[in-house]
Amino acid sequence: MQEIRLTDIEGIKIGHEQDLYAATGCTVILCEEGATAGVDVRGGAPGTRETDLLDPVNLVEKVHAVLLSGGSAFGLDAAAGVMQYLEERKIGFDVGVTTVPIVTAAVLFDLMMGDHRIRPDKAMGYKACQNAFQQDYREGTVGAGTGAAIGKYLGMSHAMKGGIGVFCIQVGALQIGAVVAVNCMGDVIDPKNGEIIAGILKEDKSGLGNTEEIMLRNYKEKKNLFHGNTTIGAVITNAKLTKSQANKIASVAHNGYARAIRPAHTMVDGDTIFVMATGKEEADINVVGLLAAKVVEEAVLRGVRKAESLHNIPSLSSIG
């Protein structure tokens, strides 16, 4: 097993665009030839686009892009820019008069950090596609991770900076990676030792707290936790998968969230994972599943380790 770059997977490109003042952005993962896709929406407050197409009983077999965006439901507008970019290049489902790109998307809530009036839009989605072809990708406070924050049970004043993480590995000829924008209500845990590495700050801000312990102490209190949550991501692989198998891999990949985020999949998180499979390599679906959980777990950790402080929200690098 060796670590590789996500773009080492043939046919895959990734691009970010962001507005640091507004603390928001979007990330697009492109596959011009189309990728067999699946999705699993596990959180209780999701914002998504075109996920019904990924049901195995429906017609469309492949997607051409997955968009991860900030801006809450407003951020779904960025998908129009992705569609325009791909249509201009005749990438998509041929309907005779034009091509219709299949663009699935999920959004996270980041309106509390910067200027909530500025959200990812069509222009930002288009620019993210351009960047996928013109720039090498980065991690941390970029793209959909720009306005991401974690550990928000006590509000943004006790939160830490989240970000976007990318991790990809190769086993023989099998390649699999994950892109995750970490914006959870809970804390981020290092599964190797069970320790919290980033998340909620203690009430006196003297160090890291423990979200689960605070929630248990306040179990009778029905808090309004909609301070801005949801971790969204995509697993990308060169494995040959059917739509049913891609959906199963998306489900198994959520184990990566559960290992690295506590608590995960709450009613105020819209936790979502897409799968994109380019269909180049035969592989046991069970092996693909265990690797999917692994790369998601590592991408979550990288998302917070690569993040930089923004708008007075401290990052792990700034306090560690």
Side-chain angles (χ1 to χ4, degrees):
M1 183 186 301
Q2 63 176 350
E3 184 176 348
I4 61 174
R5 293 187 63 76
L6 185 72
T7 47
D8 289 338
I9 300 177
E10 184 181 355
I12 295 297
K13 297 186 183 300
I14 173 175
H16 307 296
E17 182 60 12
Q18 57 279 321
D19 184 322
L20 293 177
Y21 166 76
T24 195
C26 64
T27 296
V28 64
I29 304 126
L30 300 172
C31 184
E32 296 175 79
E33 294 182 1
T36 303
V39 68
D40 190 334
V41 181
R42 197 71 65 88
T48 57
R49 178 186 190 274
E50 297 280 43
T51 53
D52 284 350
L53 284 177
L54 306 186
D55 189 318
V57 305
N58 292 330
L59 174 65
V60 172
E61 289 293 328
K62 294 186 176 183
V63 303
H64 304 94
V66 168
L67 173 73
L68 309 176
S69 181
S72 188
F74 299 107
L76 292 172
D77 284 350
V82 179
M83 291 195 69
Q84 178 184 339
Y85 185 91
L86 294 174
E87 184 189 21
E88 289 174 354
R89 286 151 183 81
K90 296 180 169 49
I91 297 168
F93 191 71
D94 187 355
V95 295
V97 294
T98 188
T99 55
V100 179
I102 307 302
V103 179
T104 58
V107 295
L108 56 81
F109 190 107
D110 59 3
L111 303 179
M112 302 294 289
M113 188 178 298
D115 188 340
H116 71 277
R117 298 167 297 181
I118 301 174
R119 302 101 181 215
D121 57 10
K122 183 177 182 179
M124 187 177 283
Y126 191 94
K127 182 63 175 176
C129 292
Q130 290 180 316
N131 290 339
F133 285 87
Q134 298 171 2
Q135 299 176 2
D136 197 9
Y137 68 83
R138 295 180 292 144
E139 298 173 81
T141 305
V142 296
T146 303
I150 62 175
K152 288 166 279 189
Y153 187 79
L154 296 176
M156 292 297 289
S157 62
H158 289 75
M160 285 182 62
K161 191 71 184 66
I164 198 159
V166 183
F167 185 75
C168 192
I169 56 177
Q170 180 163 335
V171 179
L174 176 64
Q175 299 169 316
I176 186 166
V179 181
V180 179
V182 189
N183 188 57
C184 51
M185 186 269 285
D187 305 317
V188 172
I189 311 295
D190 186 343
K192 295 181 180 66
N193 54 27
E195 293 182 0
I196 298 172
I197 64 170
I200 197 167
L201 298 174
K202 293 180 180 178
E203 295 194 32
D204 61 2
K205 300 184 181 179
S206 61
L208 285 173
N210 184 311
T211 294
E212 290 187 329
E213 290 181 1
I214 295 171
M215 291 176 70
L216 289 172
R217 288 198 300 268
N218 296 278
Y219 74 93
K220 288 187 176 182
E221 186 176 349
K222 296 181 179 180
K223 294 174 66 69
N224 176 12
L225 298 175
F226 205 68
H227 297 297
N229 306 297
T230 295
T231 296
I232 53 179
V235 170
I236 303 96
T237 178
N238 69 344
K240 293 181 180 179
L241 300 176
T242 64
K243 280 179 71 176
S244 294
Q245 290 173 328
N247 277 277
K248 181 60 176 179
I249 296 301
S251 177
V252 174
H254 274 277
N255 290 338
Y257 283 177
R259 293 173 190 167
I261 299 170
R262 295 183 190 168
H265 307 136
T266 74
M267 290 300 292
V268 294
D269 288 286
D271 296 343
T272 298
I273 296 179
F274 294 98
V275 166
M276 303 173 73
T278 63
K280 305 295 185 183
E281 183 68 17
E282 294 284 358
D284 179 354
I285 186 174
N286 296 296
V287 175
V288 177
L290 74 88
L291 292 175
K294 176 64 175 175
V295 294
V296 167
E297 170 191 320
E298 291 292 338
V300 170
L301 298 177
R302 289 178 69 93
V304 296
R305 286 172 172 155
K306 296 287 186 178
E308 298 176 355
S309 303
L310 186 67
H311 291 293
N312 298 316
I313 305 297
S315 64
L316 175 60
S317 61
S318 70
I319 67 173

